Amino acid sequence: MKPMGAVPADYRWDGGKLLIGGQTAEALIARAGDTPLFVYDMAIVRDRIARFRDAMPAELALHYAIKANPHPDLLAATAPLVDGLDVASAGEMAMALAVMAPERISFAGPGKRDDELEAAIRAGVTLNLESPAEGRRALVIGKRLGVRPQLAIRVNPDFELRGSGMRMGGRASPFGMDAAEVAPLVAEIDAGAGDWRGLHIFAGSQALDAGAIVETQAQTLALARRLAEAVGRPAPLVNLGGGFGIPYFPGEQPVDLAAVGAALKDTLPSSPRTAFAIELGRWLVGEAGVYLTRILDKKVSNGETFLITDGGLHHQLAASGNFGTVVRRNYPLALASGMGDETEVVNVVGCLCTPLDRLGDRVELPRAEVNDVIAIFMAGAYGVTASPSAFLGHVPARERVLD
Ligand SMILES: *Cc1c(COP(=O)(O)O)cnc(C)c1O
């Protein structure tokens, strides 16, 4: 047997049946029409936003990085509760513009096309510049359009977020630019009829250790201060990045938000000329999602039991361990449709013809039968849109947002 991550504490059970937003899996599936089905519970997203507001200094803005989950209903319900949206393509930008004012949207990403730069400049969305050359292209496009581009500068920090699942700083990187390039680029922006909107410093993702986050935020604030001095004026906005993780795996603990907030209350400068923001994706929405998949077959092979489901890595790649993890570990899973006293150790697999399509590796679950429903938690971020949905041509997953 191998351990599983813990089911988030937000979920309740009724007579052995999993409840999502107060409804059973079968009721949700009946309403949606079929499995596989992603359900996103906005009550959990709202809870996370309230916790953030509670713990953090009041003046710290909260941005949602929509690549974590850009479902239109989730976006529409989340946008009024946050202060800004961060997007990573013109496609995401169009979705964000449907629910948020352009001056509250920023567009990062290491390779932006000219037509993407133009769309952002026309809309009045802030571009987080990833290189001086990208800044020059934006200024040329702004001149041609007769529009002042809104340009923030993404800096590749010379430190990393310790313990983060995906490091994005502290070494050579396609993201952002070296600190020494910032002040000369601001001078070019000034001379080239652009508006310098500030700094974007993102040092990593999926960190659970509050101490590491606090340390990185202090380094980020110090770097922002040095850069503003080099530029000769305060940055209108400093985006401190984010990187708050969620506990996917056995033994992991949630981020101690109170500790992060307490440290920021000490270190965040109170400046009328500089606003500060944090951008979060998975921490806001990851635990709000459950992937429901039905068992199609149950069989024994060489003494091991396999539950074969109608889902798989084509919808939920991350749970199979093939999205940015080195060692495969089990996400939290449960038998949604009933909980007997008797358990068995099973392999939960998807319906794809590849051994990579493993959703639960030798996990202990209540005894399940064909037609029962398996729930895979932590499915609210980097699910459908981060999975190879065209691979093997199976039906797409359904998605429902519970408001
Ligand atoms: C992906 C990304 C995020 C969101 O990361 P999470 O781990 O989901 O919080 C935030 N900022 C930038 C620049 C990103 O690329």
Side-chain angles (χ1 to χ4, degrees):
M1 189 188 70
K2 291 193 179 171
M4 287 185 279
V7 174
D10 310 84
Y11 293 92
R12 300 279 168 266
W13 298 84
D14 178 27
K17 288 191 185 346
L18 172 68
L19 298 180
I20 306 169
Q23 300 178 60
T24 64
E26 289 295 356
L28 290 162
I29 293 164
R31 207 152 299 150
D34 206 349
T35 50
L37 170 65
F38 283 84
V39 181
Y40 312 119
D41 183 358
M42 276 306 300
I44 297 176
V45 179
R46 285 193 293 268
D47 170 82
R48 296 304 184 270
I49 294 171
R51 285 194 208 178
F52 181 94
R53 303 286 191 200
D54 245 26
M56 296 294 155
E59 66 273 23
L60 181 65
L62 172 61
H63 293 187
Y64 174 45
I66 81 169
K67 77 172 188 285
N69 188 333
H71 189 280
D73 297 348
L74 181 138
L75 211 50
T78 304
L81 309 175
V82 297
D83 307 303
L85 297 177
D86 293 325
V87 304
S89 69
E92 284 192 353
M93 186 178 79
M95 303 183 76
L97 282 166
V99 294
M100 184 70 86
E103 60 274 16
R104 293 172 177 271
I105 301 174
S106 55
F107 180 174
K112 300 186 195 75
R113 301 162 52 95
D114 278 348
D115 54 9
E116 293 184 304
L117 295 175
E118 177 167 339
I121 293 166
R122 279 187 191 280
V125 163
T126 297
L127 287 161
N128 287 347
L129 299 174
E130 306 270 356
S131 74
E134 189 178 78
R136 288 176 206 127
R137 282 163 59 212
L139 290 170
V140 168
I141 292 169
K143 280 231 173 74
R144 172 165 57 76
L145 298 175
V147 178
R148 287 181 80 83
Q150 304 299 301
L151 304 175
I153 296 179
R154 180 166 180 183
V155 187
N156 176 25
D158 53 3
F159 47 84
E160 55 159 319
L161 176 50
R162 260 195 306 119
S164 79
M166 265 180 230
R167 290 201 299 179
M168 290 174 107
R171 52 175 156 180
S173 161
F175 308 111
M177 61 194 84
D178 295 353
E181 296 180 294
V182 172
L185 182 56
V186 175
E188 285 189 55
I189 292 170
D190 290 346
D195 277 339
W196 179 50
R197 298 302 308 146
L199 300 167
H200 176 213
I201 305 172
F202 184 82
S205 206
Q206 180 52 21
L208 293 168
D209 176 7
I213 294 172
V214 166
E215 188 183 301
T216 297
Q217 288 176 338
Q219 288 173 303
T220 302
L221 289 167
L223 174 59
R225 197 161 48 237
R226 284 200 303 279
L227 290 171
E229 271 164 26
V231 168
R233 64 179 192 270
L237 175 69
V238 174
N239 179 331
L240 300 173
F244 298 9
I246 51 177
Y248 290 101
F249 301 119
E252 292 184 339
Q253 299 298 324
V255 178
D256 180 352
L257 211 61
V260 176
L264 275 176
K265 281 174 186 162
D266 286 341
T267 54
L268 203 65
S270 68
S271 156
R273 298 183 61 192
T274 300
F276 293 90
I278 280 189
E279 56 180 358
L280 298 176
R282 75 185 74 225
W283 189 86
L284 291 175
V285 297
E287 290 160 300
V290 184
Y291 179 51
L292 298 172
T293 176
R294 203 177 286 286
I295 299 170
L296 299 175
D297 200 359
K298 179 176 183 177
K299 65 184 181 188
V300 175
S301 169
N302 270 314
E304 290 193 36
T305 299
F306 286 79
L307 302 179
I308 294 157
T309 69
D310 64 359
L313 67 76
H314 53 312
H315 302 148
Q316 183 48 347
L317 182 65
S320 75
N322 293 294
F323 188 63
T325 44
V326 181
V327 179
R328 194 204 171 285
R329 289 177 290 173
N330 288 318
Y331 271 38
L333 312 183
L335 184 64
S337 45
M339 198 150 57
D341 290 338
E342 204 186 337
T343 66
E344 63 185 336
V345 174
V346 295
N347 295 294
V348 180
V349 301
C351 55
L352 303 192
C353 291
T354 160
L356 298 177
D357 197 9
R358 185 167 288 231
L359 301 170
D361 186 18
R362 280 172 274 160
V363 293
E364 185 174 17
L365 291 179
R367 181 173 291 279
E369 302 302 336
V370 168
N371 275 326
D372 284 344
V373 171
I374 299 279
I376 303 172
F377 296 88
M378 319 303 276
Y382 306 110
V384 175
T385 58
S387 302
S389 56
F391 187 39
L392 271 84
H394 286 285
V395 293
R398 292 161 197 248
E399 295 176 275
R400 286 293 176 278
V401 177
L402 304 181
D403 207 351

